[in-house]
Amino acid sequence: MMDDKPQKLNLKREVGLMGAVSLIGGTMIGSGIFMSPQTVISTIGSPGASLMVWACSGLLVIMVSFCYAELGTVIKESGGEYIYILRTSGPVVAFMLVFSSVLFVRPAGVAGIALSFAQYVVAPFYEECPPPVLLVKFVAAAAILVLATINCLNVRFAMSVQVFFIVAKVVALAVIIIGGVVMLVRGQTESFEDAFENTNVGINPIGIAFYQGLWSYDGWNNLNYVTEELKRPEKLNLKRDVGLIGAVSFIPGTMMGSGIFISPQYVLQTIGSPGASLVIWACCGLIALLGGLCYAELGTVIPESGGEYIYMLRTAGKVVSFMFVFSFVIVMRPASATGIALSFAEYVVAPFYVGCTVPQPVLKFVAAGGILVLGVINCLSVHLATAIQVTTMVVKVLALAAIILGGIVMLFQGNTVNFEDSFEGTNVGVSSIGLAFYQGLWCFDGWNTLNYLTEELKSPEVRLSDLLINFQMEKRVEVIASESQHFHCQIQ
């Protein structure tokens, strides 16, 4: 007899990594991202406040995207918000959401995007007059119909179209960004002068500006609607590509950054004497060494990526770890990266502005470019990032060796002025000592960076304590075996 039991229809998993990235990027970089900026700036009233609205909207979207990425690995079903609310709050609340979304929210959003797309398409044919409303609506309806047909016919073909359009949109955005940079280099910095003048601080303009900004970012959650069509929706394991050389280069390459070249003068100015400055550096180095040893042991006991966050999560719970990672991601890490990038940019552009002060827009642009380049490199390939880290570490070590050898040569030449009354003028106040220690410890920052990618290390489980235990066990086995053999000989 044939089994008449109905079987569940499963969607074919045909959306890979490139298709998934193109789906999110292609949906976000749509008509809204080209027409929202003018609405935001006209509503909020000033370029500075407009940039603040865009930055806050982007930060909010990034945080929510992380939540949805985690939801997509826990609940591996298509449907987005509907399936999540259905699994957590029940069918009534889920029905209310999908009812309002299907009948009002989604159609209104698609209609707005399609109409703006149609407006751009027919604009070249009506340069001197506005295009007919009927023609704009017809083009918009045709676009919706064509895209719906493509998505219904074949997922692979839809993904190919999505990839093609994401490339075209990225190229268009690159042209706009490069044009803005060229205008900035030519000295057109009028928007930076009194950037917050005429800002509308009312609730209504701020709310409308944020609505326009967030609407422009809309599309970050679209991948969760097709979770069952992804090839690998489960949680991915990081590939172990970082070996001993890469790990060793990663730590000192991070520690020996811009801070190690600018901190010594600040420490000396704050504490007031060379002798006390050397004491501060020795104490900071000892603290960093002890912290590094503790983190090395933690990385072998808890072999998971995440650094302090994962250690707090495993020991103190979710609330404490969330409070830490929230302040760390929002305040501490961006501030630290910004400081290092700005000091790096100052060193880079200094040779081009020998007799004058470096313009702040140029300095900030170079710093932002450095952060962007490093971010792209780290996302593209671990091997490439490790190779660059090793190269830059060698350059930094050579630079430090040149400085140290220069100091030794000066010492042998009789330049011992700093050793005479080396503690004279020391500032013994709590504020001075605290600031000096802060600068010194900030310079040593980076000794714990390897713990953020423990899952990418080739053999993080090997510990000194494990080696000692294994050695002791082997010795005990050898002793027991020799005693047993000796006892056996006595019996014979």
Side-chain angles (χ1 to χ4, degrees):
M1 292 180 62
M2 295 182 62
D3 189 8
D4 296 332
K5 185 178 179 179
Q7 295 181 354
K8 183 180 178 181
L9 179 64
N10 294 321
L11 295 173
K12 192 174 182 181
R13 299 191 181 278
E14 291 185 336
V15 181
L17 178 61
M18 186 58 67
V21 172
S22 302
L23 177 64
I24 298 176
T27 311
M28 291 179 66
I29 311 174
S31 304
I33 207 166
F34 293 101
M35 68 180 193
S36 289
Q38 55 184 344
T39 308
V40 171
I41 196 169
S42 63
T43 304
I44 202 67
S46 66
S50 173
L51 288 176
M52 291 292 293
V53 168
W54 283 109
C56 293
S57 300
L59 181 63
L60 180 62
V61 168
I62 288 173
M63 294 176 63
V64 180
S65 299
F66 288 153
C67 297
Y68 265 65
E70 185 67 20
L71 277 171
T73 58
V74 175
I75 304 175
K76 305 166 191 172
E77 299 179 66
S78 298
E81 297 90 353
Y82 168 72
I83 199 68
Y84 303 146
I85 294 177
L86 179 64
R87 294 286 176 263
T88 55
S89 303
V92 177
V93 182
F95 172 76
M96 293 171 63
L97 168 80
V98 78
F99 182 82
S100 59
S101 179
V102 170
L103 291 185
F104 302 103
V105 179
R106 283 292 170 184
V110 171
I113 294 172
L115 286 171
S116 60
F117 164 78
Q119 191 86 23
Y120 282 108
V121 169
V122 302
F125 303 99
Y126 296 89
E127 295 181 358
E128 298 181 356
C129 60
V133 178
L134 187 62
L135 178 63
V136 173
K137 291 182 178 180
F138 174 77
V139 174
I144 294 174
L145 184 62
V146 169
L147 289 177
T149 305
I150 292 173
N151 280 284
C152 292
L153 287 177
N154 193 300
V155 174
R156 287 187 179 178
F157 182 59
M159 286 298 103
S160 301
V161 174
Q162 192 73 267
V163 171
F164 172 78
F165 277 108
I166 184 67
V167 173
K169 293 173 183 177
V170 168
V171 170
L173 285 177
V175 171
I176 295 173
I177 294 170
I178 293 172
V181 172
V182 170
M183 293 175 64
L184 182 64
V185 172
R186 288 179 176 176
Q188 299 181 10
T189 58
E190 294 85 359
S191 298
F192 292 96
E193 300 172 0
D194 300 325
F196 290 90
E197 190 177 1
N198 299 323
T199 301
N200 300 321
V201 293
I203 297 176
N204 188 36
I206 293 175
I208 293 176
F210 266 101
Y211 175 80
Q212 286 290 336
L214 291 173
W215 180 72
S216 177
Y217 280 110
D218 186 35
W220 50 266
N221 59 339
N222 279 1
L223 196 62
N224 294 68
Y225 291 98
V226 293
T227 306
E228 294 181 29
E229 298 179 55
L230 301 180
K231 289 182 178 178
R232 296 178 62 188
E234 68 275 4
K235 186 177 179 180
L236 301 178
N237 294 321
L238 296 174
K239 190 176 180 181
R240 300 191 181 277
D241 281 335
V242 182
L244 180 61
I245 298 297
V248 172
S249 303
F250 189 66
I251 296 176
T254 309
M255 291 177 66
M256 291 187 290
S258 304
I260 207 166
F261 295 102
I262 64 176
S263 288
Q265 55 183 340
Y266 288 109
V267 172
L268 184 59
Q269 290 174 3
T270 305
I271 202 64
S273 66
S277 175
L278 288 175
V279 172
I280 293 290
W281 283 110
C283 294
C284 291
L286 181 61
I287 293 172
L289 179 63
L290 294 173
L293 292 174
C294 294
Y295 267 64
E297 184 66 18
L298 276 172
T300 57
V301 174
I302 306 176
E304 298 179 68
S305 298
E308 295 90 351
Y309 167 72
I310 201 68
Y311 303 146
M312 288 185 181
L313 180 65
R314 295 287 177 262
T315 56
K318 298 178 180 179
V319 177
V320 179
S321 60
F322 173 77
M323 293 170 62
F324 166 76
V325 79
F326 183 82
S327 60
F328 187 77
V329 172
I330 300 297
V331 184
M332 296 167 59
R333 184 57 71 177
S336 177
T338 303
I340 295 172
L342 286 172
S343 60
F344 162 78
E346 195 164 355
Y347 281 106
V348 169
V349 302
F352 303 98
Y353 296 89
V354 178
C356 58
T357 307
V358 180
Q360 288 297 316
V362 175
L363 197 65
K364 293 178 180 178
F365 174 75
V366 174
I371 293 175
L372 182 63
V373 169
L374 289 178
V376 171
I377 290 172
N378 280 285
C379 293
L380 287 177
S381 173
V382 176
H383 285 292
L384 179 60
T386 306
I388 294 175
Q389 191 73 267
V390 172
T391 305
T392 53
M393 188 204 71
V394 172
V395 174
K396 293 173 184 176
V397 168
L398 292 176
L400 284 177
I403 295 172
I404 294 170
L405 290 175
I408 294 173
V409 170
M410 291 176 65
L411 183 63
F412 278 107
Q413 288 178 349
N415 296 317
T416 58
V417 180
N418 291 329
F419 291 95
E420 300 171 1
D421 300 325
S422 57
F423 287 90
E424 186 178 358
T426 303
N427 300 320
V428 293
V430 177
S431 177
S432 302
I433 296 174
L435 287 174
F437 265 101
Y438 174 79
Q439 286 289 339
L441 291 173
W442 179 73
C443 179
F444 279 107
D445 185 36
W447 49 266
N448 59 339
T449 311
L450 196 62
N451 294 68
Y452 291 98
L453 42 82
T454 308
E455 295 179 31
E456 297 180 56
L457 302 179
K458 288 184 177 179
S459 54
E461 68 280 355
V462 178
R463 289 185 290 167
L464 179 61
S465 57
D466 292 339
L467 295 176
L468 290 174
I469 292 171
N470 293 334
F471 178 74
Q472 292 174 359
M473 291 295 294
E474 290 175 0
K475 283 294 183 183
R476 289 177 184 176
V477 170
E478 290 177 1
V479 170
I480 293 172
S482 61
E483 289 180 354
S484 300
Q485 186 177 5
H486 180 67
F487 181 72
H488 183 67
C489 291
Q490 285 181 346
I491 291 177
Q492 288 180 345

